[in-house]
Amino acid sequence: MSEHEPVAPVPPAGTSTVTDLADGEWHRLHPATPLFRGGLAFIAIIGVIIVNLRDRILELWFGYDDINTGPGDLEADAIDFLVREELIIVALLAALGVLLLLIAGFYFSWRMHTFRITGEAVEVRSGILFRTNRKGRLDRIQGINVGRPFVPRLFGAAKLEISVAGNDANVQLAYLRSRDADALRRDILLLASGARRDTAASPGAPSATGIGGMLDERVGELLAPELDVELTEPKSIVHMSPGRLIGSTFLSETFIILVIMLAAIVVSAVVSGELFLLFAMLPGVIGIGGFLVARITRSLRYSIASTPDGVRVGFGLLSTTNETLPPGRIHSVRVSQPLLWRPFGWWQIAVNRASRSSQSGAAGQQQTTILPVGSLDDVRAVLGLLLPEAASPERQALLEQGLLGTGPGEGGEFRVSPPRARVLRWFSRRRNGFALSPEAVLLRTGAIWRGLVVVPFPRMQSVSVHQGPLLRALRLASVHAHTVAGPISPTLGALDVTDAGRFFDDVAASALRAAQADTSPRWRAGAVDAAPSASAASTTAESETATDPAEPA
Amino acid sequence: MSTADHDSELDSDLAATVAPTATSYTARRLERPETEWQRVSPRYIVVDMISTLITGVIVTVGSLIPFWLGWEQGWMLGAGFAALFLIVLAVTPRRVRSIGYLLREDDLLFRRGIMFQRFVAVPYGRMQLVDISRGPIARAFGLGELKFVTAAASSGVLIPGLPLDTAEELRDHLVAVAETRRAGL
């Protein structure tokens, strides 16, 4: 294979990328794209119509007469009318015309749907009558997701979704050839990182010839592990065992609600003798049940691994998604433990991100759940990937104190609520507290539902401190660290008023310092010479702090 | 450009009015060592009172409809709303005087509230955009409000009651300092 051979150094001019899709020219998508994007439904509709008309057609061709159609059959009436009025030819022509028009529409929409990837942006043009042009800046990339819905996956196609900061501001390349999608992701990340790798390992894929070869390739892709071995250095650091996944689902609050609902229905149906109650509640039960099943199947082949360009998280059994999050795109992390998971030591990790993906993640939830369920060791490993600085080995003791500890800890790292806050924090008074490390702020809450929120300073937007009349009477205050919107809201209530004031000052100062030193917009620009094309891409003025190599974002 | 540009219009002794006096009070309250807060224009008190009055009249009249329709005790509803809005009106001057901002070296400090106090610190580099908007009443008094928007919706820095030229100066200043201290998302 070519990656074992010494690769000839590529001349520095030009981008050294794996595919030719990232060469700055306009490219088209996978030719079968219209089929995947609604064409299949269209064919299915035609099939249904043909099946329904089969009897009619037989009658027409062979002159059967004994088919009785019900008087209320609208479709049959319409056809009777057409036959009676001898409009059958006109009708067929009209149907053919519509068909041709639709096919032409699909074809042209494919022709007009083009994309290009330059050193500074990903651009997509689409639409026949109403042209749209969407451009995502590479230094604002929050993550790249390769999604393979089941049917396109059978045909060896994949969807590449580039998440840019903002609500639904994503650039979608749907669909590409599966292999291209993986390689293109690497190219885009390479361009976005601001570094220039002089070696470009070619995918080294012998192109399959003939139908047999194509089938082999398809089967190989279906059975292949979700993480492309060639592009991933280490293996997934977390092994998701089916037992734990199913157990955690059965012990989740959703499942308990389902059981209670079922019990309530059965009891009320038995007591009242009205069986229709069973059916009335059925849709809700099916909905929740489906959610739980989807959660299990999606998470069964969960994987998370570290790559040079960030963390890669993969999900899915039949439809798969596989997302790469470049460094510094995680705005806050919450590790939490529902009450029922506690005997087993299971935890769950969610994150706040600046972009909202339209594809759903692990448990049918948004792609904010990074680890659906894991042991304490898994949590340590995943945190180490997500926040390399804030969860470095020397911070592990602090994190552990945040996850499991109560009270201020041995070194008094955590400032907890004072005793007079017991009125507001009945059980968690000694757990409710914060700690500041040089890299992040840690907010620890809950004695029954334990949780720890970590907000890295370089991502924090602002900080505030609040006090209402009730807190004032108790000489308490609450603090908030503001991050981009998401499932996590990093707040901590019922702190001593002087502690809260100190928190406010310290966090504001640390956030300022961290923001100035942050290089994550072009995460490799500091390591290698910044790519000239990438630096030239910055339209705004260069940062005036001369030591800061980061491009203004 | 410096912070001194902004207090030209503003009443300097306003700062003293919200400074706490009783010590026991101080210990319970959130307080900041900073004293040189920039305050909003006193004219904003009038603006705020007028808009409270308009809302109050509409709500009170609306709540009296059941009374006119024949509900005997309905007047109590109207009276309750009227009393509520009178209290809000009464504390408006103090509430407005509690709003303040301070341009520090690298971040903007903003405070508001007497009963529900809130202090926010936003680094200039986190600015995504600055918005100046003017409602009809505020415009009649030559005032506008300035909104400092970051990537976090919860930052919520909205400085009302700025004289228009102050608001524009402040906006230009914020854009200029944000440019030199730019940070990523």
Side-chain angles (χ1 to χ4, degrees):
Chain A
M1 293 300 285
S2 60
E3 67 259 40
H4 300 306
E5 298 165 6
V7 183
V10 175
T15 46
S16 52
T17 48
V18 183
T19 60
D20 53 358
L21 292 175
D23 54 3
E25 299 297 318
W26 291 99
H27 293 279
R28 293 212 176 85
L29 298 164
H30 194 287
T33 298
L35 280 184
F36 303 141
R37 309 183 70 153
L40 279 179
F42 174 65
I43 288 174
I45 290 170
I46 291 180
V48 167
I49 291 175
I50 288 174
V51 166
N52 280 328
L53 290 183
R54 194 187 51 197
D55 292 346
R56 274 288 156 189
I57 291 164
L58 286 179
E59 179 193 8
L60 214 64
W61 258 224
F62 302 107
Y64 285 125
D65 223 290
D66 51 2
I67 300 164
N68 51 27
T69 47
D73 197 336
L74 201 72
E75 175 202 297
D77 285 349
I79 290 166
D80 278 342
F81 171 76
L82 287 177
V83 172
R84 225 173 24 244
E85 302 290 320
E86 294 183 338
L87 286 171
I88 196 82
I89 303 297
V90 179
L92 280 178
L93 280 178
L96 195 69
V98 169
L99 197 67
L100 285 178
L101 212 63
L102 281 172
I103 289 174
F106 278 131
Y107 175 71
F108 280 111
S109 79
W110 173 75
R111 287 269 307 176
M112 305 292 268
H113 199 143
T114 53
F115 68 94
R116 76 171 171 187
I117 291 138
T118 61
E120 66 233 58
V122 180
E123 217 173 325
V124 177
R125 295 190 301 197
S126 65
I128 304 171
L129 292 178
F130 300 93
R131 302 283 288 159
T132 58
N133 193 329
R134 185 163 253 210
K135 198 169 182 176
R137 279 184 50 172
L138 288 186
D139 57 344
R140 295 296 181 86
I141 285 181
Q142 302 295 313
I144 302 188
N145 192 3
V146 176
R148 293 182 176 87
F150 185 56
V151 174
R153 195 171 161 218
L154 288 177
F155 290 89
K159 173 158 54 172
L160 193 73
E161 194 181 15
I162 298 142
S163 315
V164 186
N167 204 353
D168 228 3
N170 298 349
V171 182
Q172 265 203 9
L173 302 181
Y175 289 81
L176 297 167
R177 257 180 292 278
S178 219
R179 190 179 301 280
D180 286 350
D182 282 327
L184 189 58
R185 162 163 66 186
R186 186 161 63 155
D187 289 348
I188 294 174
L189 285 170
L190 200 61
L191 289 170
S193 68
R196 182 167 295 216
R197 211 185 257 165
D198 352 306
T199 57
S202 84
S207 59
T209 47
I211 291 179
M214 212 176 87
L215 268 181
D216 280 352
E217 201 181 333
R218 287 297 90 78
V219 171
E221 274 173 14
L222 267 180
L223 300 180
E226 186 39 45
L227 291 174
D228 194 336
V229 182
E230 201 173 80
L231 301 177
T232 317
E233 284 80 43
K235 285 182 64 174
S236 170
I237 55 161
V238 171
H239 174 67
M240 183 65 68
S241 72
R244 182 195 291 166
L245 187 61
I246 293 167
S248 69
T249 307
F250 284 159
L251 291 174
S252 66
E253 273 93 7
T254 325
F255 185 75
I256 306 292
I257 290 170
L258 181 71
V259 169
I260 292 173
M261 262 176 71
L262 276 175
I265 294 166
V266 170
V267 166
S268 57
V270 166
V271 168
S272 64
E274 303 271 15
L275 282 175
F276 76 91
L277 271 176
L278 286 175
F279 295 101
M281 297 294 273
L282 212 56
V285 171
I286 289 174
I288 298 179
F291 168 80
L292 292 174
V293 170
R295 185 189 131 100
I296 293 176
T297 55
R298 286 191 65 90
S299 303
L300 263 180
R301 277 178 53 199
Y302 165 83
S303 64
I304 181 166
S306 160
T307 73
D309 289 308
V311 186
R312 188 174 301 177
V313 189
F315 282 115
L317 196 59
L318 296 178
S319 301
T320 68
T321 70
N322 184 334
E323 179 150 46
T324 304
L325 305 170
R329 264 63 177 176
I330 309 279
H331 287 248
S332 60
V333 179
R334 184 183 60 209
V335 189
S336 58
Q337 183 176 55
L339 179 63
L340 292 170
W341 287 13
R342 196 151 167 177
F344 306 93
W346 292 334
W347 301 81
Q348 176 174 327
I349 299 183
V351 297
N352 268 9
R353 299 171 45 196
S355 69
R356 230 46 70 66
S357 172
S358 56
Q359 295 189 359
S360 52
Q365 303 142 3
Q366 282 288 314
Q367 267 173 345
T368 46
T369 307
I370 288 291
L371 178 67
V373 57
S375 66
L376 196 59
D377 283 333
D378 296 339
V379 168
R380 277 194 207 105
V382 172
L383 280 180
L385 281 192
L386 295 178
L387 304 167
E389 289 92 26
S392 58
E394 55 271 27
R395 302 274 172 263
Q396 288 298 341
L398 185 67
L399 284 171
E400 201 144 316
Q401 180 67 26
L403 290 173
L404 304 171
T406 51
E410 299 98 57
E413 298 94 346
F414 276 88
R415 300 290 299 177
V416 295
S417 300
R420 61 180 180 280
R422 196 168 284 128
V423 193
L424 298 175
R425 296 284 183 277
W426 293 2
F427 307 109
S428 63
R429 203 272 298 167
R430 281 171 56 75
R431 231 185 103 71
N432 190 66
F434 68 88
L436 304 178
S437 77
E439 300 87 12
V441 44
L442 285 78
L443 306 175
R444 181 178 75 177
T445 54
I448 295 173
W449 283 272
R450 293 198 283 202
L452 174 72
V453 176
V454 184
V455 185
F457 283 127
R459 300 276 77 80
M460 186 183 294
Q461 300 296 317
S462 54
V463 58
S464 70
V465 52
H466 300 241
Q467 190 188 49
L470 178 65
L471 288 180
R472 183 168 308 129
L474 291 163
R475 252 190 309 132
L476 300 173
S478 67
V479 293
H480 299 220
H482 302 142
T483 69
V484 295
I488 308 165
S489 161
T491 67
L492 194 64
L495 287 175
D496 183 80
V497 109
T498 41
D499 282 348
R502 204 169 298 135
F503 176 92
F504 184 76
D505 283 333
D506 293 351
V507 168
S510 299
L512 268 177
R513 180 176 40 69
Q516 298 302 322
D518 182 35
T519 58
S520 59
R522 292 282 194 189
W523 60 95
R524 282 205 214 148
V528 191
D529 265 0
S533 66
S535 326
S538 70
T539 49
T540 42
E542 281 294 331
S543 175
E544 286 182 16
T545 47
T547 51
D548 184 6
E551 175 173 332
Chain B
M1 199 164 295
S2 80
T3 63
D5 295 349
H6 304 296
D7 55 5
S8 53
E9 281 260 6
L10 309 177
D11 208 346
S12 57
D13 65 8
L14 278 176
T17 54
V18 285
T21 45
T23 43
S24 63
Y25 194 52
T26 315
R28 288 184 185 283
R29 288 186 73 82
L30 277 179
E31 262 321 321
R32 301 286 315 158
E34 293 87 359
T35 49
E36 64 279 25
W37 294 92
Q38 310 283 321
R39 298 293 173 178
V40 304
S41 164
R43 279 175 287 163
Y44 182 65
I45 297 174
V46 186
V47 175
D48 200 332
M49 284 175 102
I50 290 174
S51 54
T52 310
L53 205 62
I54 291 171
T55 326
V57 167
I58 291 171
V59 171
T60 308
V61 169
S63 66
L64 282 173
I65 289 174
F67 175 62
W68 290 321
L69 291 180
W71 182 34
E72 291 285 307
Q73 278 78 42
W75 62 272
M76 286 176 14
L77 200 65
F81 274 113
L84 191 74
F85 277 102
L86 283 177
I87 293 170
V88 172
L89 270 184
V91 298
T92 295
R94 263 178 71 78
R95 198 158 48 82
V96 169
R97 280 196 292 259
S98 78
I99 301 171
Y101 64 94
L102 182 59
L103 298 166
R104 294 201 291 193
E105 175 69 25
D106 290 309
D107 58 357
L108 172 74
L109 209 56
F110 176 70
R111 66 174 292 170
R112 72 178 304 160
I114 301 261
M115 187 89 115
F116 295 90
Q117 276 184 298
R118 182 170 194 267
F119 290 89
V120 196
V122 198
Y124 298 130
R126 296 296 185 190
M127 184 188 88
Q128 297 294 323
L129 61 97
V130 187
D131 222 10
I132 294 182
S133 56
R134 311 174 69 195
I137 306 168
R139 185 154 47 200
F141 285 83
L143 299 178
E145 62 184 26
L146 182 138
K147 194 173 181 186
F148 187 101
V149 181
T150 69
S154 44
S155 290
V157 176
L158 178 75
I159 311 175
L162 293 172
L164 198 62
D165 48 349
T166 313
E168 279 170 356
E169 251 169 56
L170 184 57
R171 176 193 61 197
D172 295 343
H173 173 68
L174 288 174
V175 170
V177 291
E179 200 53 55
T180 63
R181 292 168 176 80
R182 215 152 247 302
L185 259 186

